[in-house]
Amino acid sequence: MTVNGIAYLEFHCEDARKYAAQLRDGYGFTVAAAPGRHPEDLTRVIARQGDITLVLTSAAAPDHPINTFVARHGDGVAVLALRCDDAEDATEQARAAVARGATATGDTGIEGFGDLTLRFVGADDPLLSGPEPVPGGPLREIDHLAICLPAGTLRPAVRHSVGALGFRIIFREYLEVGDQAMDSTVVQSPCGGITLTLIEPDPTREPGQIDRFLEAHGGAGVQHLAYRTDDIAGAVRDLTARDVAFLTTPGAYYDSLADRLGATGIPVGTLRELDLLVDQDHGGQLFQIFTRSTHPRNTFFQELIERRGADTFGSANIKALYEAVERERGDL
């Protein structure tokens, strides 16, 4: 099986056109009706920017599976479409591997995590022929997806990623924040184009944001998407001007940066001004920031990330996210 990257993410939405307008106005996506013929009871819109393709789908019939998904989880990522040289062969191989692991399969691909479906598509998939993105958008590609899992299901999810998809483990961490704790494992496709951060709470510790996500979302699912940019400072200024709101960072964080990391690729004054976080690994530095959630259930948000040599996840990255969300709730 050869997986070449993310073809697109499909969101199931209460109102696809409304969601598309938010992506257009807030994040600079180019949006248009999806090409090809679709069932009359479906509304399908394509949103594109850089190498990012998002498919937004809503259904008219109350009992349609899309509305069942939305009723259970709210608007969210329902399909991760994986681009392959031979989609049919990839599907057969993945289903065979899943069957050996005694895990149920779906009709259009394989089951992923909770209600997230993994779909294998070729270059001829009609949803890939949507509108050409307007040049100059701040977002370049999907850096990673963060997926929250119920306690006790992280190891099976990792085995699923490795066995059915051929992914490899690139990072593990057990993170403690106050009385809360979680386990995380990052898996990546051999091509490096797909990275999944899989997270489960530690049930022996106090409930935290992962537990709250699982309760509000109704089980496992995508907590956030990270969009890679080549200029995070410019991207934050652009999106802020479009009324996208970001999480803030305490000033003390920047007071200790020089002692923790030494010189940073973006001046500390700019980091402080824009509430940007910075971390580094063996390859270099990365800069990130998280948006405030606008989801009615507060279960989904976005991340911007710029990599300057860093190709994995420094230990402070996931902790920074965890603490940022806790600060937003006033729990830290």
Side-chain angles (χ1 to χ4, degrees):
M1 179 195 304
T2 302
V3 177
N4 300 320
I6 296 176
Y8 56 83
L9 298 176
E10 181 170 354
F11 286 70
H12 287 176
C13 311
E14 182 177 4
D15 186 334
R17 292 190 181 92
K18 180 179 178 181
Y19 202 114
Q22 293 173 356
L23 290 173
R24 179 195 63 211
D25 298 342
Y27 292 87
F29 279 83
T30 301
V31 303
R37 298 182 62 182
H38 307 285
E40 292 183 358
D41 63 339
L42 293 185
T43 298
R44 184 163 280 158
V45 183
I46 303 289
R48 295 191 65 193
Q49 183 172 173
D51 292 329
I52 305 164
T53 298
L54 307 179
V55 180
L56 315 170
T57 308
S58 56
D63 59 347
H64 194 283
I66 288 175
N67 285 324
T68 301
F69 179 99
V70 173
R72 183 178 299 146
H73 307 298
D75 292 359
V77 181
V79 178
L80 168 57
L82 308 174
R83 189 174 62 251
C84 304
D85 294 333
D86 187 332
E88 184 176 344
D89 179 65
T91 302
E92 291 178 357
Q93 289 188 48
R95 285 178 171 173
V98 167
R100 288 195 294 272
T103 304
T105 61
D107 293 335
T108 59
I110 63 170
E111 287 188 351
F113 314 96
D115 289 335
L116 175 67
T117 295
L118 304 174
R119 180 183 299 160
F120 301 94
V121 303
D124 59 347
D125 189 294
L127 294 178
L128 295 177
S129 58
E132 287 298 320
V134 176
L139 310 179
R140 186 160 65 87
E141 63 185 4
I142 295 173
D143 185 86
H144 64 272
L145 290 76
I147 300 172
C148 293
L149 305 164
T153 65
L154 175 60
R155 289 187 178 181
V158 172
R159 288 197 299 268
H160 186 55
S161 303
V162 173
L165 302 177
F167 284 17
R168 64 182 185 273
I169 298 169
I170 64 169
F171 183 74
R172 296 180 189 269
E173 183 175 34
Y174 178 78
L175 177 66
E176 297 178 272
V177 180
D179 294 331
Q180 308 167 20
M182 67 177 185
D183 265 317
S184 66
T185 300
V186 180
V187 296
Q188 190 175 76
S189 62
C191 69
I194 309 171
T195 303
L196 307 178
T197 301
L198 306 174
I199 310 165
E200 72 172 0
D202 182 343
T204 68
R205 307 292 293 272
E206 289 296 312
Q209 62 160 287
I210 307 303
D211 302 272
R212 291 192 293 271
F213 171 92
L214 294 168
E215 180 178 0
H217 183 265
V222 176
Q223 179 205 45
H224 75 267
L225 295 182
Y227 297 121
R228 189 178 302 185
T229 176
D230 294 327
D231 177 11
I232 193 168
V236 170
R237 291 189 174 102
D238 183 355
L239 269 58
T240 298
R242 294 171 174 270
D243 292 328
V244 174
F246 294 92
L247 298 182
T248 59
T249 303
Y253 171 88
Y254 302 100
D255 296 337
S256 62
L257 272 184
D259 293 336
R260 183 166 68 88
L261 298 178
T264 56
I266 297 176
V268 172
T270 302
L271 299 177
R272 187 189 296 269
E273 172 200 352
L274 299 175
D275 291 302
L276 294 173
L277 302 169
V278 56
D279 200 10
Q280 66 185 17
D281 60 19
H282 60 279
Q285 293 184 338
L286 57 85
F287 303 87
Q288 64 181 163
I289 191 169
F290 311 101
T291 68
R292 296 180 186 273
S293 178
T294 59
H295 195 285
R297 303 188 189 190
N298 201 37
T299 51
F300 181 78
F301 54 94
Q302 326 278 350
E303 175 185 355
L304 303 187
I305 186 166
E306 178 185 346
R307 295 184 180 273
R308 298 192 181 184
D311 56 4
T312 57
F313 293 81
S315 296
N317 256 15
I318 298 175
K319 184 176 182 179
L321 166 59
Y322 203 102
E323 291 179 339
V325 176
E326 293 304 304
R327 283 195 303 273
E328 176 74 1
R329 289 179 51 87
D331 292 345
L332 285 181

